[in-house]
Amino acid sequence: MNLNLERVHPPPRLVLDKMASADSKKVPRNFYLLDELEKMEKGAGGGETSYGLEDPRDISLSNWNAMIMGPQGTTSQDRFLELKIHCGPKYPDQPPEVRFVTAVTYSYVEAGGKVNLSKVKSMGAWHPRMSISSTLKALRAEMGSQSNRKQPQPPEGTKF
């Protein structure tokens, strides 16, 4: 039996577009996260960033693995930097918790690799329309900023 599931369950992007136009309705958290997952699976990171669910069976869509390719002309150039992301129950109204697994020494990274998003100048204040993808792109942009591009980094392979 061949079922056309798109007719029964439209792709998250269609649901988001329809719901976003209705100002009186709030888009459920998991719809945002399913949309983000779909975008990444279609190559939204452009080779500079990548992310996916830590466990594909995680129906809460809470825990994610991510990678950032160090920007050209920086001390992280050509390095793959590993991160963990946790989207809490109030995401996207509240930002995700982001932590570097790869040891780095940027001004916005605190003890244990925890990222203080309020110190990421290229990001600005969190807004519910932001995403995992925009967060990773902002972190990468901040790595290439004047104040961070020559910041000495721990040896490659060092973890927090």
Side-chain angles (χ1 to χ4, degrees):
M1 177 179 212
N2 187 6
L3 295 174
N4 184 350
L5 294 179
E6 283 194 357
R7 288 177 54 188
V8 178
H9 299 287
R13 179 179 297 285
L14 294 176
V15 173
L16 282 177
D17 290 344
K18 287 178 184 175
M19 292 184 80
S21 64
D23 293 332
S24 63
K25 295 185 181 188
K26 183 177 168 120
V27 177
R29 169 192 178 275
N30 282 12
F31 284 10
Y32 277 108
L33 291 168
L34 283 170
D35 189 52
E36 290 189 52
L37 181 60
E38 178 185 13
K39 286 177 185 174
M40 189 66 243
E41 287 175 346
K42 291 182 177 180
E48 298 172 344
T49 62
S50 175
Y51 58 94
L53 284 171
E54 188 173 275
D55 179 355
R57 298 167 297 186
D58 176 13
I59 61 171
S60 71
L61 306 173
S62 296
N63 298 307
W64 300 71
N65 292 321
M67 296 288 281
I68 297 175
M69 176 70 132
Q72 295 294 315
T74 69
T75 53
S76 293
Q77 178 175 321
D78 298 331
R79 290 176 67 180
F80 291 99
L81 307 173
E82 183 183 356
L83 301 94
K84 297 280 186 184
I85 300 172
H86 177 76
C87 297
K90 295 189 179 183
Y91 179 86
D93 294 322
Q94 293 181 356
E97 296 170 14
V98 181
R99 183 179 64 81
F100 274 92
V101 174
T102 304
V104 294
T105 57
Y106 294 115
S107 58
Y108 54 89
V109 179
E110 300 173 347
K114 184 178 183 331
V115 174
N116 183 337
L117 293 176
S118 67
K119 291 184 177 180
V120 179
K121 295 176 190 130
S122 60
M123 189 165 184
W126 179 260
H127 186 276
R129 287 281 182 205
M130 293 177 153
S131 64
I132 293 171
S133 180
S134 64
T135 301
L136 294 173
K137 287 177 183 175
L139 291 175
R140 188 171 192 276
E142 194 67 26
M143 288 176 200
S145 71
Q146 195 65 29
S147 60
N148 284 311
R149 69 183 316 103
K150 298 298 178 194
Q151 180 71 31
Q153 298 301 317
E156 194 163 354
T158 308
K159 308 264 187 207
F160 276 108

